[in-house]
Amino acid sequence: MISVRVGDCDVDILPFVNGLQSEADKVRDAYGKHEAYGIAMSIEGVQALEHREELDDDFGVSELDLVYANKMEWFGTVEMPSPAACVLVDLCKENGTPLIPLDMNDADFTELYCNTVKTLDFVKEHRHAKKGMKKTFDASTPEELAVQWDDFVNEIGSYHEVSRKREEYLAEQISDVAKYRKSLLVLLEVERCDGVVALLGKR
C-alpha cells in the first residue's frame, strides 16, 4: 500500500499485478476501511465486470496481453479479466458502495490512442508480441515482471506516450475525488504506480 495525502484526503493506493489470481486476496484484506473506493478502469470497464457473467466478451485481450499472461504464469494462475479488479467490483456491489471509475471512458481513450499511436507503431505490435514471447525476463517477483513487461511494451514510443497521458489523467481524477472525501482506496496496476504517485506529489 502506498499512502499519499492529497489535500484533506488520505489516499491509499493499492498496487496490483494485472491478471494474477492471487492478487484478489490483497483486495479483500484492504476493503472496508475507507470512505470511498476507486479503480483505474473506465466506467464501461466497471460495468462490464459487474455483468461479466452475462457477457460473452474477451474484454479486449490483445496479442500482447496473451504473451504477458504466458510470462506471468510463472508466478501463478492468470485469469482475464483481472481477479483483483473483479473482487473490488463485487465487494462494492455487494455492500452498496459506489465504485469510482478513475480512467478515461472508452470514447476518450480511443481518441487518445488514435491521436497518439502512429500507424507504423500499431503495425509493429504483432512483431513486438513475438519478440516478447522469446524474450527472457529476470524478474524474481510478479511485481518486477509486470514493470519489466510494461517497459518492454513501451519500447514502442507512442505506447509510452499513451501510458504517460493515462497516468496524468488518473492523477487528475484522484485529486478531484480527494476534494470531496476523507479517505480513498485506489486499485492501480503496479506499473502505473510510480508515475501516478509522482504526479500526485506535485499537486
Side-chain angles (χ1 to χ4, degrees), residues 12-157:
D12 288 330
I13 295 177
L14 183 61
F16 78 102
V17 176
N18 200 24
L20 197 60
Q21 188 183 67
S22 57
E23 293 291 278
D25 290 337
K26 67 169 61 174
V27 178
R28 295 187 185 96
D29 292 341
Y31 185 82
K33 306 176 183 71
H34 297 77
E35 179 185 351
Y37 296 85
I39 188 169
M41 292 185 70
S42 67
I43 186 170
E44 295 91 347
V46 171
Q47 291 170 344
L49 291 191
E50 288 177 341
H51 302 283
R52 63 188 181 277
E53 300 299 331
E54 308 160 25
L55 299 175
D56 181 16
D57 196 329
D58 63 4
F59 291 90
V61 177
S62 69
E63 191 171 6
L64 285 168
D65 292 332
L66 293 174
V67 178
Y68 164 87
N70 177 273
K71 298 292 184 181
M72 191 57 71
E73 283 176 350
W74 177 261
F75 294 102
T77 303
V78 175
E79 297 177 358
M80 296 293 179
S82 189
C86 290
V87 166
L88 184 57
V89 166
D90 291 347
L91 286 170
C92 286
K93 189 174 181 179
E94 289 166 10
N95 290 278
T97 305
L99 179 57
I100 303 167
L102 298 168
D103 214 338
M104 301 173 212
N105 62 46
D106 287 356
D108 287 344
F109 181 79
T110 298
E111 182 178 1
L112 168 66
Y113 187 91
C114 291
N115 290 338
T116 306
V117 175
K118 302 171 184 175
T119 303
L120 184 59
D121 285 347
F122 179 77
V123 172
K124 286 179 183 177
E125 183 173 312
H126 172 70
R127 189 168 65 231
H128 207 59
K130 289 180 68 176
K131 180 181 175 183
M133 182 62 79
K134 297 175 182 177
K135 183 178 174 63
T136 299
F137 295 88
D138 61 359
S140 58
T141 67
E143 290 82 7
E144 288 179 0
L145 178 56
V147 171
Q148 289 180 15
W149 175 257
D150 185 67
D151 289 343
F152 169 74
V153 170
N154 285 332
E155 288 175 4
I156 300 176

